[in-house]
Amino acid sequence: QVQLVESGGGLVQAGGSLRLSCAASGSHFSIGAMGWYRQVPGRERVRGLVATISSDGSTTYAGSVKGRFTISRDNAKNTVYLQMNSLKPEDTAVYYCNAKIVSRDYWGQGTQVTVSS
């Protein structure tokens, strides 16, 4: 069974940095695109795109994080990272890792990121 395990969330002051990691395990197939989404307080039914990265390294970013966040992946470790710099209070959210495997979406359990002003 495919599992995605996230780590690296926490509390940080505005302007600070955090690095999220997400390790995938249990897949017998190659992992396609991976990405990060976030769910903000008060909008629990919406997971907004933060960044994605394809298996060959092509990336996309939400406009609100472009230039501040960097997504990367280590295919040998089936792990995706999100380096978050210059964090703002509006980045406060639960961050979810996503992986696409054989046209199916898998999600991590979520990790809380809180940015204080």
Side-chain angles (χ1 to χ4, degrees):
Q1 183 163 347
V2 176
Q3 285 190 318
L4 302 180
V5 179
E6 299 138 339
S7 60
L11 173 65
V12 65
Q13 287 189 331
S17 298
L18 284 173
R19 188 190 195 210
L20 306 183
S21 299
C22 171
S25 63
S27 176
H28 298 292
F29 302 96
S30 296
I31 298 174
M34 301 184 79
W36 293 93
Y37 294 72
R38 65 188 180 187
Q39 193 168 287
V40 301
R43 301 190 68 190
E44 282 75 17
R45 294 189 177 186
V46 178
R47 290 185 184 178
L49 169 72
V50 177
T52 65
I53 184 167
S54 67
S55 56
D56 65 1
S58 298
T59 59
T60 61
Y61 294 93
S64 59
V65 308
K66 197 172 292 185
R68 300 188 298 123
F69 292 9
T70 302
I71 190 170
S72 61
R73 66 190 284 172
D74 184 334
N75 289 332
K77 296 180 179 180
N78 288 334
T79 300
V80 63
Y81 307 95
L82 185 68
Q83 177 66 44
M84 304 185 293
N85 298 329
S86 303
L87 282 160
K88 303 176 181 180
E90 52 264 42
D91 293 318
T92 294
V94 178
Y95 284 71
Y96 293 89
C97 172
N98 172 271
K100 298 188 185 302
I101 305 173
V102 194
S103 301
R104 180 176 173 179
D105 282 301
Y106 293 88
W107 295 92
Q109 79 283 0
T111 185
Q112 177 71 46
V113 171
T114 302
V115 184
S116 63
S117 58

